[in-house]
Amino acid sequence: IFDPVFCYSSNVWTADMLTKVMAYFHAQEVMFTLSSLQMSIKSYLKNLLYQPRQLLSEFQQLDQQQFQTAMKYLFNSRKDRLEMGNISLDWDKTRERIFQSPGVNRTLFLVTLDKCFLALSVLDCVDILSQVLHVSAVNYLQPDVIGSLPNVLQEDAFRNLSTVFKDLYDKTSAKTQRALYGWMKQILQKSCNMSEFNESTSWVSAENLWILGRYMVHLPLEEIMKISLNEIRLFISYDNATKQLDTVYGITPELAQAFLERISSSGFDMRNTSTIYRQDSFSFSFMAVLGLLVCFYDDMEQMDAAVARALLHQMIKCNQLRGFQAEVQKLKSQLLNIAMQNQTLNDILGSLSDAVVGLTSSQLESLSPDAVHNAIATLNQVSGWAKSQVMILSSKYLSYEKVLSFYTVSQMGALVTGISTQSFYSMNPKDLSQIIQGTTPQYLSDLSPAQQQGILRKIAASGDFSSSVKDIQGAFFKEISLSDLWKQTGYNSSMMKEKELRRSQALCLYELLSKKYYPVDLLSTGQLVKGVTCQLIESMGTDFFLNTFKFFEKNLHLLSPYQVNCLAWKFWKVSNASIPPFLLSVLPIEYLEYVSGPLCVPFIESLGKTEMNLLNPSLHKKNAVLQKVQECLNGSIADEYDVDLLGNLICHLPPAFLRGRMSLKAMATALHQFKLCQQLSHEQKTEIKYKLLELYGSPNNWTAETTLDVGPFIALMSKGELNVLAEKFPDIILQIAKTIGPISSAEELLSTVFESVSNASANIESPLSRPDCLGTRAPSSDEIIKLAEANVFWSVQELKCMDAGTFDKNVELLGTVSGFNSSQLIALKEKAKQVWGSLPDWKSYHIVSLGRIALALNEHEIEELDLHSIDTISVLSQQTEWTLTQARSILQGFLEDSGQTTSALKSFDLVGLGAILCALNSTEIMSIRTAEFSAAVARIGLLFCSTPVLRQFKKMTESVFSTATSWNGSILQEIGTIAGGLNEDELKAFDKNLMPYFQPIAIRCIPPEIFQTLSPEQIANLGPENAAMVTRLQREHLNASQLQSLQLALDGARTSTPETQTSASTTQAVQTPAPSAPCLSGLGIWLCAVFSLHLPF
């Protein structure tokens, strides 16, 4: 069918080339017009993109010359457009579309491995592999595929390809990493003269060690000990050795110490802190050469303070290690003690690097303000601070500086979060304006909502707010209230590009800016798409809508399910033949009938790239969509191509389908995708477990790599299986357990971790002399750090017997354990009293460090605390388990200790109080000043208070935004749960078109007896997301007509503009690709078409 003369006879196309092509087809008795030829080839190309297995087959049938041409145009063409006569192809877009298809990418990867090294130069093939792997999902690199890599390569090609694999190290599975190490080792060994090596010498030369890069962590211990000392010395002298050793994040203590031993034996003095010289007169301390190996340095005998400080300086990078943080903390603690020999903490604070994070609050409290000031250049770069530590150090620094200015804040770095809200509010507005202009943007986002509100309120009160608004970037902008936005002028569309907006802000700003800017200018900002109403979408002309849909598609994650539903209906109305397939899932269930045959693949592919819950909040609708997906897959997940196609849809497939319809071949690829799923059900996890056991066999026989790859799913294994894994791979199990959530999701795993750590530790009895602690093992710092959530298994008695120093050092970590019961929390609270003294003596930083332990304080104990600071209250309010009595005590304590009444509260006080506000009585709520309530209303609208409290908040809201019946969509979005305080008459009075603008969390807060007063029309217009939030109790109060309307809303039915509604049964069918002509059944003609005729598709 394909005569190469037409495609390859000339590199330059002549004007009569099209005529020759048509003459060729006519000679073959295939009658085509140019137009029909273009359409057939266009259809064939689409089919190939959606049938990657067929594409693989077509590629495999290409001869060498055709393959070279395909690779040239796909990977080496520098042309943006290809033109011939009046036919033009946007080649950049074409390639982008090819590379965006996961199945096509896999095909390109496999065919490159299969054919490239035979057809093209080795270096070209390495370059192509690099491009394919960087633009595609790296799970193509499965262990079995590594066996297809060439085992004989030119030196340059091997180095280039190994560099690619080093770059992709973190994106590949543990099994693949091990397989790639084996491949590299095989080639490196071949390149060596193996006759020079025997059992006592190693193939690992300095150069080979450098080529291995991060894969050096897979060297066996015995191989490391055989490396020639000359080669080790040579490797350490390389300029890039430090960079390489800085990236061995997966190294274990045993391997690190083996390398350190060889380095020491090779003649380097490990303790030489003086400068050594290397090429180009580059100089640095020898300690710096060791990279992450320093994290496991263990030769402490007779070490002097200078060496200890040098080591600590290098250990700042150790938090990048995969695991072993308890060991690192222990080493830092030992070095800290040595570094402080014959010196005070004040003297050496600035030379301790990030080991200062290991200092207890009492040690930090003992520092002088002068010492903190002198060490600020070190302290401001340290990460990993606890909130209490930052509070102490900030206070010390500011007591030295006296005046809080822009300059002092800019010097503080990470310590900025320790500045009190009141201090920010007391600052000069001009200094605050400079701060929010982005001098320390990475730290501004770490400020609490109360601190951010304090800054904004001061600037707003200064009259300089309008000029400052444009400079507020990122998430900070979301804290500006709707009222304050209304008051300002001078907004423009370009200033919105760097800001994050709440939906209420976006609705307000879009309406405001649309009066002087074109919609394209607003949509191109990104965040403003949140403010596009259905009425706006409906009013768009057909051409304008189709041309601007790309802005919505690009920012789909910013849209609400209601907006997506509106887009789907608009698209269906103006161009149902070209509607993006995923939008069909948003329309009522009957529209899924249009998804069949050739439309199946684009439907699944587009859904797999989208968040399912955004499209279908309703469980019923989601199940219907998943049923259609299963039909499209012909009832099974056959192989890796199906997994590629599904994308994150795989997270939603029903358990029965996973059990009976997923092949083991597919499971091997799907494991990585399953690990990314956020909300797998217990039933789904159980089926995944059985698949894993089927794939990998009994955990008794698993390797370390298998265990790492299974990752969080080991929590599904039986206690016996977990015990085996914990015995074989204790460090890996510990590493995985750190990523597991609360105890409810992994009790057996956490229990196994606790037993493993306990058994590995010596039975240390408590140093306390109390009789009731004799024979009781006390938790150590090392154990507490390793256990994390598994600390929940300490008995009450063991917690009581904890050493005071251990508690002081680890209280913040213990306060994060979500599974502690009330008895354990009480034991820890009593330990806090024992360590810190009586409650009135506790400082703010003590209270803040308690975390969940604070929940054990009863109302009388809360009354004794010093609660004058809103920053203390802000931290306490983050706990969600307070009783109403406790919350009332915290509220009273704050008001009394700060000398305020509710009428004096500022907006930042209201924001900081958070959930504690639910303890206010009606008189107190009504005494809050309107201006302050207005500034905090969006934050208050996130609280789940009782209905009586919400009703009082609703009354306050009316003092800000006028009567409820006058509220618009942006106000409803702003006030959130406060809408749950509306009465029957107010709720009934809302226009049905405003119903989608209630926040989903507000729907849950409407009492059932109030909710039932909504008309069927109002309920039908709730929108999919709000309808999905209706509770069982609310449903039980609805009549048949209302329930029918609720189902319409859940289905995404069109109700607001019936005159434009189009029947699914009478609408033109969705266009599907036309069948390709019989004569176009080979990739040869595909190449001719794309790379020669340059046809657009």
Side-chain angles (χ1 to χ4, degrees), residues 46-53 101 103 581 595-608 632-633 641-642 645-646 649:
K46 279 186 177 180
N47 281 334
L48 275 182
L49 280 180
Y50 292 137
Q51 296 174 33
R53 295 178 190 85
S101 167
V595 179
S596 62
L599 205 59
C600 263
V601 173
F603 175 71
I604 297 176
E605 185 182 309
S606 58
L607 277 180
C632 280
L633 290 169
Y641 278 108
D642 284 342
L645 180 64
L646 281 165
L649 257 183

PDB file of all heavy atoms in Angstrom, residues 46-53 101 103 581 595-608 632-633 641-642 645-646 649:
ATOM      1  N   LYS A  46      -6.804   9.466  15.151  1.00  0.00           N
ATOM      2  CA  LYS A  46      -7.498   9.502  16.439  1.00  0.00           C
ATOM      3  C   LYS A  46      -7.620   8.100  17.026  1.00  0.00           C
ATOM      4  O   LYS A  46      -7.398   7.870  18.204  1.00  0.00           O
ATOM      5  CB  LYS A  46      -8.893  10.123  16.279  1.00  0.00           C
ATOM      6  CG  LYS A  46      -8.893  11.634  16.251  1.00  0.00           C
ATOM      7  CD  LYS A  46     -10.334  12.156  16.252  1.00  0.00           C
ATOM      8  CE  LYS A  46     -10.358  13.672  16.300  1.00  0.00           C
ATOM      9  NZ  LYS A  46     -11.732  14.197  16.297  1.00  0.00           N
ATOM     10  N   ASN A  47      -8.006   7.164  16.146  1.00  0.00           N
ATOM     11  CA  ASN A  47      -8.148   5.792  16.614  1.00  0.00           C
ATOM     12  C   ASN A  47      -6.837   5.244  17.156  1.00  0.00           C
ATOM     13  O   ASN A  47      -6.807   4.547  18.164  1.00  0.00           O
ATOM     14  CB  ASN A  47      -8.642   4.884  15.470  1.00  0.00           C
ATOM     15  CG  ASN A  47     -10.137   5.024  15.248  1.00  0.00           C
ATOM     16  OD1 ASN A  47     -10.870   5.381  16.169  1.00  0.00           O
ATOM     17  ND2 ASN A  47     -10.588   4.757  14.036  1.00  0.00           N
ATOM     18  N   LEU A  48      -5.728   5.587  16.482  1.00  0.00           N
ATOM     19  CA  LEU A  48      -4.431   5.103  16.953  1.00  0.00           C
ATOM     20  C   LEU A  48      -4.087   5.676  18.324  1.00  0.00           C
ATOM     21  O   LEU A  48      -3.553   4.985  19.183  1.00  0.00           O
ATOM     22  CB  LEU A  48      -3.334   5.475  15.951  1.00  0.00           C
ATOM     23  CG  LEU A  48      -3.122   4.511  14.769  1.00  0.00           C
ATOM     24  CD1 LEU A  48      -1.966   4.995  13.912  1.00  0.00           C
ATOM     25  CD2 LEU A  48      -2.854   3.100  15.263  1.00  0.00           C
ATOM     26  N   LEU A  49      -4.402   6.948  18.528  1.00  0.00           N
ATOM     27  CA  LEU A  49      -4.127   7.573  19.823  1.00  0.00           C
ATOM     28  C   LEU A  49      -4.915   6.894  20.933  1.00  0.00           C
ATOM     29  O   LEU A  49      -4.471   6.819  22.066  1.00  0.00           O
ATOM     30  CB  LEU A  49      -4.470   9.065  19.784  1.00  0.00           C
ATOM     31  CG  LEU A  49      -3.421   9.983  19.145  1.00  0.00           C
ATOM     32  CD1 LEU A  49      -3.909  11.425  19.174  1.00  0.00           C
ATOM     33  CD2 LEU A  49      -2.083   9.878  19.846  1.00  0.00           C
ATOM     34  N   TYR A  50      -6.114   6.425  20.585  1.00  0.00           N
ATOM     35  CA  TYR A  50      -6.959   5.799  21.591  1.00  0.00           C
ATOM     36  C   TYR A  50      -6.798   4.273  21.631  1.00  0.00           C
ATOM     37  O   TYR A  50      -7.455   3.607  22.420  1.00  0.00           O
ATOM     38  CB  TYR A  50      -8.425   6.162  21.333  1.00  0.00           C
ATOM     39  CG  TYR A  50      -8.710   7.632  21.579  1.00  0.00           C
ATOM     40  CD1 TYR A  50      -9.504   8.372  20.696  1.00  0.00           C
ATOM     41  CD2 TYR A  50      -8.179   8.281  22.697  1.00  0.00           C
ATOM     42  CE1 TYR A  50      -9.759   9.713  20.918  1.00  0.00           C
ATOM     43  CE2 TYR A  50      -8.427   9.622  22.916  1.00  0.00           C
ATOM     44  CZ  TYR A  50      -9.212  10.335  22.036  1.00  0.00           C
ATOM     45  OH  TYR A  50      -9.465  11.662  22.266  1.00  0.00           O
ATOM     46  N   GLN A  51      -5.932   3.748  20.764  1.00  0.00           N
ATOM     47  CA  GLN A  51      -5.685   2.299  20.762  1.00  0.00           C
ATOM     48  C   GLN A  51      -4.177   2.047  20.782  1.00  0.00           C
ATOM     49  O   GLN A  51      -3.576   1.635  19.789  1.00  0.00           O
ATOM     50  CB  GLN A  51      -6.326   1.658  19.526  1.00  0.00           C
ATOM     51  CG  GLN A  51      -7.845   1.776  19.513  1.00  0.00           C
ATOM     52  CD  GLN A  51      -8.442   1.258  18.220  1.00  0.00           C
ATOM     53  OE1 GLN A  51      -7.928   0.323  17.608  1.00  0.00           O
ATOM     54  NE2 GLN A  51      -9.540   1.872  17.792  1.00  0.00           N
ATOM     55  N   PRO A  52      -3.555   2.327  21.925  1.00  0.00           N
ATOM     56  CA  PRO A  52      -2.083   2.249  21.988  1.00  0.00           C
ATOM     57  C   PRO A  52      -1.532   0.849  21.749  1.00  0.00           C
ATOM     58  O   PRO A  52      -0.403   0.701  21.283  1.00  0.00           O
ATOM     59  CB  PRO A  52      -1.768   2.731  23.405  1.00  0.00           C
ATOM     60  CG  PRO A  52      -3.041   2.595  24.174  1.00  0.00           C
ATOM     61  CD  PRO A  52      -4.138   2.790  23.190  1.00  0.00           C
ATOM     62  N   ARG A  53      -2.321  -0.185  22.029  1.00  0.00           N
ATOM     63  CA  ARG A  53      -1.830  -1.542  21.751  1.00  0.00           C
ATOM     64  C   ARG A  53      -1.687  -1.740  20.236  1.00  0.00           C
ATOM     65  O   ARG A  53      -0.725  -2.338  19.751  1.00  0.00           O
ATOM     66  CB  ARG A  53      -2.794  -2.592  22.320  1.00  0.00           C
ATOM     67  CG  ARG A  53      -2.910  -2.582  23.838  1.00  0.00           C
ATOM     68  CD  ARG A  53      -3.916  -3.634  24.272  1.00  0.00           C
ATOM     69  NE  ARG A  53      -4.272  -3.558  25.679  1.00  0.00           N
ATOM     70  CZ  ARG A  53      -5.217  -2.768  26.180  1.00  0.00           C
ATOM     71  NH1 ARG A  53      -5.883  -1.953  25.369  1.00  0.00           N
ATOM     72  NH2 ARG A  53      -5.488  -2.770  27.469  1.00  0.00           N
ATOM     73  N   SER A 101      -1.026  11.391  26.156  1.00  0.00           N
ATOM     74  CA  SER A 101      -1.756  10.127  26.204  1.00  0.00           C
ATOM     75  C   SER A 101      -0.899   9.080  26.906  1.00  0.00           C
ATOM     76  O   SER A 101       0.158   8.698  26.396  1.00  0.00           O
ATOM     77  CB  SER A 101      -2.079   9.654  24.780  1.00  0.00           C
ATOM     78  OG  SER A 101      -2.516   8.312  24.808  1.00  0.00           O
ATOM     79  N   GLY A 103      -1.208   5.889  27.389  1.00  0.00           N
ATOM     80  CA  GLY A 103      -1.012   4.648  26.646  1.00  0.00           C
ATOM     81  C   GLY A 103      -0.036   4.808  25.508  1.00  0.00           C
ATOM     82  O   GLY A 103       0.809   3.935  25.262  1.00  0.00           O
ATOM     83  N   PRO A 581     -15.699  14.392  26.648  1.00  0.00           N
ATOM     84  CA  PRO A 581     -16.417  13.214  27.169  1.00  0.00           C
ATOM     85  C   PRO A 581     -16.651  13.223  28.680  1.00  0.00           C
ATOM     86  O   PRO A 581     -17.702  12.783  29.138  1.00  0.00           O
ATOM     87  CB  PRO A 581     -15.503  12.049  26.766  1.00  0.00           C
ATOM     88  CG  PRO A 581     -14.743  12.558  25.597  1.00  0.00           C
ATOM     89  CD  PRO A 581     -14.548  14.016  25.825  1.00  0.00           C
ATOM     90  N   VAL A 595     -22.017   7.252  25.762  1.00  0.00           N
ATOM     91  CA  VAL A 595     -20.643   6.765  25.881  1.00  0.00           C
ATOM     92  C   VAL A 595     -20.617   5.307  25.483  1.00  0.00           C
ATOM     93  O   VAL A 595     -21.065   4.429  26.228  1.00  0.00           O
ATOM     94  CB  VAL A 595     -20.110   6.928  27.321  1.00  0.00           C
ATOM     95  CG1 VAL A 595     -18.687   6.395  27.411  1.00  0.00           C
ATOM     96  CG2 VAL A 595     -20.171   8.384  27.755  1.00  0.00           C
ATOM     97  N   SER A 596     -20.105   5.053  24.286  1.00  0.00           N
ATOM     98  CA  SER A 596     -19.969   3.673  23.823  1.00  0.00           C
ATOM     99  C   SER A 596     -18.965   3.651  22.684  1.00  0.00           C
ATOM    100  O   SER A 596     -18.621   4.692  22.120  1.00  0.00           O
ATOM    101  CB  SER A 596     -21.318   3.117  23.346  1.00  0.00           C
ATOM    102  OG  SER A 596     -21.782   3.886  22.249  1.00  0.00           O
ATOM    103  N   GLY A 597     -18.496   2.450  22.372  1.00  0.00           N
ATOM    104  CA  GLY A 597     -17.595   2.279  21.239  1.00  0.00           C
ATOM    105  C   GLY A 597     -16.390   3.193  21.297  1.00  0.00           C
ATOM    106  O   GLY A 597     -15.704   3.280  22.310  1.00  0.00           O
ATOM    107  N   PRO A 598     -16.136   3.929  20.187  1.00  0.00           N
ATOM    108  CA  PRO A 598     -14.922   4.754  20.114  1.00  0.00           C
ATOM    109  C   PRO A 598     -14.861   5.869  21.168  1.00  0.00           C
ATOM    110  O   PRO A 598     -13.790   6.394  21.446  1.00  0.00           O
ATOM    111  CB  PRO A 598     -14.999   5.370  18.708  1.00  0.00           C
ATOM    112  CG  PRO A 598     -15.925   4.494  17.952  1.00  0.00           C
ATOM    113  CD  PRO A 598     -16.913   3.978  18.943  1.00  0.00           C
ATOM    114  N   LEU A 599     -16.012   6.247  21.745  1.00  0.00           N
ATOM    115  CA  LEU A 599     -16.014   7.321  22.737  1.00  0.00           C
ATOM    116  C   LEU A 599     -15.577   6.822  24.125  1.00  0.00           C
ATOM    117  O   LEU A 599     -15.285   7.619  25.013  1.00  0.00           O
ATOM    118  CB  LEU A 599     -17.409   7.943  22.831  1.00  0.00           C
ATOM    119  CG  LEU A 599     -17.481   9.388  23.340  1.00  0.00           C
ATOM    120  CD1 LEU A 599     -16.685  10.323  22.455  1.00  0.00           C
ATOM    121  CD2 LEU A 599     -18.923   9.845  23.447  1.00  0.00           C
ATOM    122  N   CYS A 600     -15.518   5.498  24.292  1.00  0.00           N
ATOM    123  CA  CYS A 600     -15.188   4.937  25.599  1.00  0.00           C
ATOM    124  C   CYS A 600     -13.805   5.361  26.093  1.00  0.00           C
ATOM    125  O   CYS A 600     -13.636   5.784  27.238  1.00  0.00           O
ATOM    126  CB  CYS A 600     -15.255   3.405  25.547  1.00  0.00           C
ATOM    127  SG  CYS A 600     -16.826   2.739  26.139  1.00  0.00           S
ATOM    128  N   VAL A 601     -12.814   5.222  25.222  1.00  0.00           N
ATOM    129  CA  VAL A 601     -11.442   5.505  25.652  1.00  0.00           C
ATOM    130  C   VAL A 601     -11.252   6.973  26.037  1.00  0.00           C
ATOM    131  O   VAL A 601     -10.750   7.271  27.122  1.00  0.00           O
ATOM    132  CB  VAL A 601     -10.416   5.069  24.579  1.00  0.00           C
ATOM    133  CG1 VAL A 601      -9.017   5.532  24.959  1.00  0.00           C
ATOM    134  CG2 VAL A 601     -10.442   3.553  24.435  1.00  0.00           C
ATOM    135  N   PRO A 602     -11.671   7.927  25.185  1.00  0.00           N
ATOM    136  CA  PRO A 602     -11.536   9.332  25.616  1.00  0.00           C
ATOM    137  C   PRO A 602     -12.347   9.643  26.876  1.00  0.00           C
ATOM    138  O   PRO A 602     -11.948  10.483  27.688  1.00  0.00           O
ATOM    139  CB  PRO A 602     -12.026  10.144  24.413  1.00  0.00           C
ATOM    140  CG  PRO A 602     -12.693   9.175  23.492  1.00  0.00           C
ATOM    141  CD  PRO A 602     -12.127   7.843  23.774  1.00  0.00           C
ATOM    142  N   PHE A 603     -13.470   8.975  27.048  1.00  0.00           N
ATOM    143  CA  PHE A 603     -14.298   9.175  28.259  1.00  0.00           C
ATOM    144  C   PHE A 603     -13.518   8.762  29.510  1.00  0.00           C
ATOM    145  O   PHE A 603     -13.391   9.524  30.465  1.00  0.00           O
ATOM    146  CB  PHE A 603     -15.578   8.342  28.131  1.00  0.00           C
ATOM    147  CG  PHE A 603     -16.466   8.362  29.352  1.00  0.00           C
ATOM    148  CD1 PHE A 603     -17.175   9.500  29.697  1.00  0.00           C
ATOM    149  CD2 PHE A 603     -16.590   7.236  30.161  1.00  0.00           C
ATOM    150  CE1 PHE A 603     -18.002   9.525  30.820  1.00  0.00           C
ATOM    151  CE2 PHE A 603     -17.412   7.242  31.283  1.00  0.00           C
ATOM    152  CZ  PHE A 603     -18.113   8.388  31.617  1.00  0.00           C
ATOM    153  N   ILE A 604     -12.963   7.551  29.497  1.00  0.00           N
ATOM    154  CA  ILE A 604     -12.218   7.076  30.673  1.00  0.00           C
ATOM    155  C   ILE A 604     -10.954   7.890  30.881  1.00  0.00           C
ATOM    156  O   ILE A 604     -10.622   8.272  32.008  1.00  0.00           O
ATOM    157  CB  ILE A 604     -11.854   5.574  30.507  1.00  0.00           C
ATOM    158  CG1 ILE A 604     -13.120   4.727  30.422  1.00  0.00           C
ATOM    159  CG2 ILE A 604     -11.000   5.110  31.682  1.00  0.00           C
ATOM    160  CD1 ILE A 604     -12.850   3.248  30.171  1.00  0.00           C
ATOM    161  N   GLU A 605     -10.260   8.190  29.792  1.00  0.00           N
ATOM    162  CA  GLU A 605      -9.004   8.928  29.914  1.00  0.00           C
ATOM    163  C   GLU A 605      -9.214  10.298  30.545  1.00  0.00           C
ATOM    164  O   GLU A 605      -8.473  10.709  31.435  1.00  0.00           O
ATOM    165  CB  GLU A 605      -8.338   9.079  28.546  1.00  0.00           C
ATOM    166  CG  GLU A 605      -6.957   9.724  28.614  1.00  0.00           C
ATOM    167  CD  GLU A 605      -6.344   9.906  27.239  1.00  0.00           C
ATOM    168  OE1 GLU A 605      -6.296   8.930  26.465  1.00  0.00           O
ATOM    169  OE2 GLU A 605      -5.923  11.037  26.928  1.00  0.00           O
ATOM    170  N   SER A 606     -10.254  11.004  30.092  1.00  0.00           N
ATOM    171  CA  SER A 606     -10.506  12.344  30.633  1.00  0.00           C
ATOM    172  C   SER A 606     -10.978  12.277  32.084  1.00  0.00           C
ATOM    173  O   SER A 606     -10.608  13.112  32.907  1.00  0.00           O
ATOM    174  CB  SER A 606     -11.523  13.099  29.767  1.00  0.00           C
ATOM    175  OG  SER A 606     -12.742  12.378  29.677  1.00  0.00           O
ATOM    176  N   LEU A 607     -11.783  11.252  32.420  1.00  0.00           N
ATOM    177  CA  LEU A 607     -12.203  11.086  33.812  1.00  0.00           C
ATOM    178  C   LEU A 607     -11.020  10.761  34.707  1.00  0.00           C
ATOM    179  O   LEU A 607     -10.938  11.209  35.859  1.00  0.00           O
ATOM    180  CB  LEU A 607     -13.234   9.958  33.926  1.00  0.00           C
ATOM    181  CG  LEU A 607     -14.695  10.275  33.621  1.00  0.00           C
ATOM    182  CD1 LEU A 607     -15.543   9.025  33.787  1.00  0.00           C
ATOM    183  CD2 LEU A 607     -15.227  11.384  34.517  1.00  0.00           C
ATOM    184  N   GLY A 608     -10.083   9.964  34.182  1.00  0.00           N
ATOM    185  CA  GLY A 608      -8.917   9.548  34.963  1.00  0.00           C
ATOM    186  C   GLY A 608      -7.975  10.679  35.302  1.00  0.00           C
ATOM    187  O   GLY A 608      -7.144  10.563  36.208  1.00  0.00           O
ATOM    188  N   CYS A 632     -17.058  -0.044  29.518  1.00  0.00           N
ATOM    189  CA  CYS A 632     -16.088   0.398  28.511  1.00  0.00           C
ATOM    190  C   CYS A 632     -14.820  -0.446  28.534  1.00  0.00           C
ATOM    191  O   CYS A 632     -14.136  -0.597  27.521  1.00  0.00           O
ATOM    192  CB  CYS A 632     -15.738   1.870  28.724  1.00  0.00           C
ATOM    193  SG  CYS A 632     -16.966   3.019  28.063  1.00  0.00           S
ATOM    194  N   LEU A 633     -14.486  -0.968  29.706  1.00  0.00           N
ATOM    195  CA  LEU A 633     -13.295  -1.810  29.835  1.00  0.00           C
ATOM    196  C   LEU A 633     -13.588  -3.268  29.490  1.00  0.00           C
ATOM    197  O   LEU A 633     -12.741  -4.146  29.719  1.00  0.00           O
ATOM    198  CB  LEU A 633     -12.751  -1.726  31.268  1.00  0.00           C
ATOM    199  CG  LEU A 633     -12.102  -0.407  31.690  1.00  0.00           C
ATOM    200  CD1 LEU A 633     -11.857  -0.392  33.193  1.00  0.00           C
ATOM    201  CD2 LEU A 633     -10.794  -0.175  30.940  1.00  0.00           C
ATOM    202  N   TYR A 641      -1.889  -1.213  30.130  1.00  0.00           N
ATOM    203  CA  TYR A 641      -2.514  -0.173  29.300  1.00  0.00           C
ATOM    204  C   TYR A 641      -3.849   0.270  29.916  1.00  0.00           C
ATOM    205  O   TYR A 641      -4.199   1.447  29.888  1.00  0.00           O
ATOM    206  CB  TYR A 641      -2.734  -0.673  27.873  1.00  0.00           C
ATOM    207  CG  TYR A 641      -1.506  -0.581  27.004  1.00  0.00           C
ATOM    208  CD1 TYR A 641      -0.808  -1.723  26.630  1.00  0.00           C
ATOM    209  CD2 TYR A 641      -1.044   0.652  26.558  1.00  0.00           C
ATOM    210  CE1 TYR A 641       0.321  -1.642  25.820  1.00  0.00           C
ATOM    211  CE2 TYR A 641       0.083   0.747  25.751  1.00  0.00           C
ATOM    212  CZ  TYR A 641       0.768  -0.396  25.391  1.00  0.00           C
ATOM    213  OH  TYR A 641       1.884  -0.304  24.592  1.00  0.00           O
ATOM    214  N   ASP A 642      -4.595  -0.664  30.449  1.00  0.00           N
ATOM    215  CA  ASP A 642      -5.862  -0.312  31.107  1.00  0.00           C
ATOM    216  C   ASP A 642      -5.603   0.519  32.364  1.00  0.00           C
ATOM    217  O   ASP A 642      -6.363   1.445  32.674  1.00  0.00           O
ATOM    218  CB  ASP A 642      -6.650  -1.577  31.472  1.00  0.00           C
ATOM    219  CG  ASP A 642      -7.311  -2.216  30.257  1.00  0.00           C
ATOM    220  OD1 ASP A 642      -7.455  -1.525  29.231  1.00  0.00           O
ATOM    221  OD2 ASP A 642      -7.670  -3.406  30.344  1.00  0.00           O
ATOM    222  N   LEU A 645      -4.802   4.015  31.330  1.00  0.00           N
ATOM    223  CA  LEU A 645      -6.019   4.690  30.882  1.00  0.00           C
ATOM    224  C   LEU A 645      -6.858   5.156  32.065  1.00  0.00           C
ATOM    225  O   LEU A 645      -7.378   6.277  32.083  1.00  0.00           O
ATOM    226  CB  LEU A 645      -6.827   3.737  29.999  1.00  0.00           C
ATOM    227  CG  LEU A 645      -8.153   4.258  29.427  1.00  0.00           C
ATOM    228  CD1 LEU A 645      -7.889   5.427  28.488  1.00  0.00           C
ATOM    229  CD2 LEU A 645      -8.876   3.137  28.700  1.00  0.00           C
ATOM    230  N   LEU A 646      -6.980   4.324  33.076  1.00  0.00           N
ATOM    231  CA  LEU A 646      -7.844   4.635  34.232  1.00  0.00           C
ATOM    232  C   LEU A 646      -7.341   5.819  35.040  1.00  0.00           C
ATOM    233  O   LEU A 646      -8.122   6.576  35.606  1.00  0.00           O
ATOM    234  CB  LEU A 646      -7.954   3.406  35.141  1.00  0.00           C
ATOM    235  CG  LEU A 646      -8.917   2.312  34.679  1.00  0.00           C
ATOM    236  CD1 LEU A 646      -8.665   1.023  35.436  1.00  0.00           C
ATOM    237  CD2 LEU A 646     -10.367   2.759  34.861  1.00  0.00           C
ATOM    238  N   LEU A 649      -8.989   7.148  38.350  1.00  0.00           N
ATOM    239  CA  LEU A 649     -10.294   6.464  38.414  1.00  0.00           C
ATOM    240  C   LEU A 649     -10.175   5.124  39.141  1.00  0.00           C
ATOM    241  O   LEU A 649     -11.145   4.627  39.698  1.00  0.00           O
ATOM    242  CB  LEU A 649     -10.805   6.188  36.998  1.00  0.00           C
ATOM    243  CG  LEU A 649     -11.902   7.079  36.424  1.00  0.00           C
ATOM    244  CD1 LEU A 649     -12.306   6.575  35.062  1.00  0.00           C
ATOM    245  CD2 LEU A 649     -13.099   7.158  37.346  1.00  0.00           C
TER     246      LEU A 649
END
